[in-house]
Amino acid sequence: MAIQADKDTIVVEALINGQNVKSLSQVAKENPTNPAEIVGYFPVTTKEQAVEAIEAAAEAFKAWKRTSIDERIHLMRKAIEKIKAAENDIVHLLSREHGKPVYDAHGEIFVSLMWMEFACNEAKAALQEEIQEHEQGKTILSHDPIGVVAAISPWNYPIALSTIKIAPALLAGNTIVLKPSPYAPLAAAKVAEIIASEFPPGVINVVHGNADVGAELTSNPLVTKIAFTGGTETAKHIIKAASDTIKDMTLELGGNDAAIFLESFDVNDERAMRRIVVSNFLTTGQICMIAKRVYVHRSIYDAFVEKYIEAANRWVRVGDPFDHNTTVGPLNNLKQKNYVQGLVEDAQKRGAKVIPLGQILDQELFEQGYYLQPTLVLDCDYHDPIVVEEQFGPTVPILPFDDVEQVIKLHNESIYGLTSSVWGKEEEAIVVARQLEAGTTMINTAAVQGLDVRFPFGGFKQSGIGREYGVEGIRTYTESHVINVPKMLDLPYIPE
């Protein structure tokens, strides 16, 4: 499907059983760079339409689960080529509706395709039936599809966090109903339509809408698995909604990811300083796995702050997402802007020092959009809201610590445990990393700069349930099915 790449508005509809289904009402999606500009419209899917989508997926599953793995991979590879061909158009739409700078939008497509291609390359081996002959007989282990997957994706990486669910679910033989976020619904819906065009009707369905649609997806008895990326509080409602039918779940939730700088870290390493700055402000700080609180050994603290400010002032350029000089765009929505601004203002009231970073390229544009200038926050208490809460925006607190035991405790007392990073001599950093409660710990890098789709990704504690990416991220869309063929049919300890 061709995507409009000009200034005209885009209209997306629900996709149910291979057909676009019109809705009685549409919602406008504004451009966060200029909220007066409407990028496009998306539908308010009704609860009844959500039921239709689920039923279409359930019906399609009957045939789809019997297709060969080779056929599934073949169709997914065709979809990948279509996405590659449409990349520039997708990037244009994503930047307009989300506020991502163009380079960042291309980066999201890069990560999406990298994962989809990995999943295609590994699916056959990951899903291969295993047969073992042994003294007791024969055992067959298969990885069977679960059924209908309800996939609910967030607004910060709408394409990557939709395809992370679509690709393995379909390759494993499931069908899917996708609900993109209303804060970034357009590009994700278009990419889903591109993929769906290669698959039988009903295998991929797309719905939009309000809480009643989400409630239907998470409670309908025909849905057998929920794949959700988003906030921890929303996940609690999903778990409750799914409890009556005991659904399988993969939940990738919030994170308050810490970056720990040991005494052995070289503050004069300009490339490392740039990496931590990027790790704080990429996608305007709106990434679940971004470094959101920075702990620095007191012996290097003052020098670190000085070098950090220098690096940030070189890299941070706030402006129009389509200006190739821009590295930081607006926040995605007004609600998020107000939340982050509130955290910064609260920190100031508590006595923190707030330092603006980088440069604003266009003051008039800055004032009309959902922009915030990136800030560094110093002199916080370890338990101030800006430290213990997930900011999800362009601000970061830097705090000193005195010894490794203290900083490990500060890290692990969080309710979250998604990712973390340790910076310094590799051997020392790994010793610290082994003691952190996190799904992923990176050494001398952080955020997407250290992401490897070949390995599982997910969180400890309230950062989630289950794992995505890696072979584990493919098998999470299956049920293990054991078939035993024993030789000894009568057990010796059971009496005649």
Side-chain angles (χ1 to χ4, degrees):
M1 172 173 290
I3 295 177
Q4 292 174 259
D6 53 26
K7 291 294 184 180
D8 294 335
T9 56
I10 297 232
V11 177
V12 300
E13 303 285 1
L15 178 67
I16 301 175
N17 202 28
Q19 300 294 320
N20 287 119
V21 178
K22 291 190 178 297
S23 178
L24 294 176
S25 59
Q26 295 273 345
V27 179
K29 175 64 187 80
E30 83 280 15
N31 181 342
T33 303
N34 176 14
E37 177 191 326
I38 302 303
V39 178
Y41 295 88
F42 63 98
V44 179
T45 305
T46 65
K47 177 181 176 181
E48 291 72 23
Q49 288 172 329
V51 171
E52 287 178 25
I54 293 167
E55 290 176 347
E59 184 63 29
F61 176 65
K62 296 174 183 177
W64 179 245
K65 67 180 179 181
R66 294 195 296 269
T67 58
S68 70
I69 184 63
D70 290 327
E71 175 67 6
R72 297 174 203 162
I73 293 170
H74 172 67
L75 296 179
M76 190 63 69
R77 290 196 188 281
K78 289 177 67 177
I80 288 170
E81 292 308 310
K82 278 192 172 181
I83 293 171
K84 289 179 179 178
E87 178 172 350
N88 289 335
D89 290 348
I90 297 168
V91 162
H92 187 96
L93 177 57
L94 179 59
S95 290
R96 286 182 67 211
E97 74 162 327
H98 185 279
K100 287 176 184 280
V102 169
Y103 81 90
D104 193 6
H106 275 293
E108 178 167 351
I109 301 299
F110 175 81
V111 171
S112 303
L113 293 171
M114 181 169 58
W115 162 244
M116 294 176 74
E117 289 175 337
F118 173 87
C120 286
N121 291 339
E122 297 295 325
K124 195 166 186 176
L127 303 173
Q128 178 68 45
E129 183 176 87
E130 302 170 38
I131 302 176
Q132 289 190 25
E133 301 274 359
H134 44 76
E135 291 182 0
Q136 290 77 32
K138 179 168 69 175
T139 301
I140 302 168
L141 171 61
S142 63
H143 305 284
D144 296 351
I146 296 176
V148 177
V149 176
I152 304 173
S153 61
W155 51 261
N156 62 320
Y157 262 54
I159 296 171
L161 295 174
S162 295
T163 54
I164 199 177
K165 301 164 178 55
I166 293 172
L170 269 56
L171 290 170
N174 304 286
T175 56
I176 197 164
V177 181
L178 172 71
K179 182 182 181 296
S181 167
Y183 288 115
L186 305 177
K190 290 296 186 182
V191 169
E193 287 187 14
I194 289 172
I195 300 172
S197 69
E198 293 298 333
F199 288 81
V203 172
I204 305 178
N205 305 272
V206 183
V207 298
H208 301 265
N210 301 317
D212 58 341
V213 173
E216 187 63 37
L217 292 180
T218 53
S219 64
N220 190 297
L222 291 176
V223 172
T224 47
K225 181 178 177 71
I226 297 169
F228 170 76
T229 303
T232 298
E233 291 305 311
T234 302
K236 293 176 183 178
H237 293 290
I238 290 173
I239 293 170
K240 290 176 183 176
S243 62
D244 285 343
T245 47
I246 317 293
K247 300 183 189 305
D248 187 285
M249 291 188 192
T250 299
L251 307 176
E252 196 266 276
L253 309 178
N256 189 18
D257 305 28
I260 297 171
F261 288 81
L262 304 177
E263 190 172 10
S264 61
F265 176 74
D266 180 5
V267 298
N268 294 309
D269 185 340
E270 293 185 1
R271 294 182 66 187
M273 294 305 299
R274 179 184 180 277
R275 283 198 297 275
I276 184 59
V277 168
V278 173
S279 298
N280 295 140
F281 300 118
L282 185 66
T283 316
T284 319
Q286 301 167 121
I287 304 178
C288 59
M289 59 185 296
I290 215 158
K292 299 181 179 76
R293 49 188 171 130
V294 177
Y295 298 103
V296 180
H297 193 276
R298 196 177 297 276
S299 66
I300 62 170
Y301 179 81
D302 291 340
F304 179 93
V305 170
E306 178 184 346
K307 295 296 184 181
Y308 183 96
I309 293 172
E310 289 178 6
N313 286 339
R314 282 193 299 269
W315 187 78
V316 172
R317 298 182 295 277
V318 183
D320 184 344
F322 292 97
D323 181 344
H324 289 281
N325 292 312
T326 295
T327 57
V328 177
L331 284 95
N332 172 261
N333 59 80
L334 182 59
K335 179 182 177 182
Q336 192 62 28
K337 174 187 175 181
N338 290 340
Y339 172 72
V340 178
Q341 194 166 27
L343 283 175
V344 175
E345 290 171 355
D346 174 77
Q348 286 180 303
K349 290 176 183 176
R350 294 171 184 269
K353 182 179 180 181
V354 176
I355 301 172
L357 301 170
Q359 57 181 309
I360 298 169
L361 300 179
D362 184 332
Q363 188 65 39
E364 183 178 352
L365 186 74
F366 181 88
E367 292 173 2
Q368 79 178 7
Y370 300 145
Y371 285 94
L372 285 177
Q373 184 167 3
T375 51
L376 175 62
V377 182
L378 304 177
D379 303 329
C380 296
D381 182 82
Y382 291 121
H383 299 99
D384 281 350
I386 201 167
V387 179
V388 299
E389 295 182 17
E390 182 179 28
Q391 311 99 352
F392 224 64
T395 186
V396 62
I398 299 183
L399 306 98
F401 70 91
D402 294 298
D403 56 62
V404 168
E405 289 73 20
Q406 178 196 19
V407 78
I408 292 171
K409 179 177 181 295
L410 288 168
H411 178 281
N412 288 346
E413 68 185 12
S414 173
I415 64 171
Y416 301 110
L418 189 59
T419 75
S420 59
S421 60
V422 186
W423 307 64
K425 290 184 178 178
E426 181 178 323
E427 298 79 5
E428 296 175 13
I430 291 175
V431 169
V432 174
R434 291 184 186 279
Q435 301 175 71
L436 302 180
E437 296 170 356
T440 300
T441 300
M442 304 171 195
I443 305 299
N444 292 320
T445 193
V448 294
Q449 299 170 101
L451 178 66
D452 190 335
V453 301
R454 297 173 299 173
F455 294 91
F457 180 84
F460 282 29
K461 298 181 283 189
Q462 293 189 37
S463 283
I465 298 171
R467 293 293 184 268
E468 295 179 300
Y469 288 140
V471 170
E472 193 172 339
I474 300 172
R475 285 186 176 170
T476 194
Y477 289 92
T478 67
E479 294 282 13
S480 295
H481 184 185
V482 175
I483 300 173
N484 279 328
V485 187
K487 287 180 181 177
M488 185 182 297
L489 299 179
D490 296 316
L491 297 175
Y493 55 80
I494 296 178
E496 294 289 342

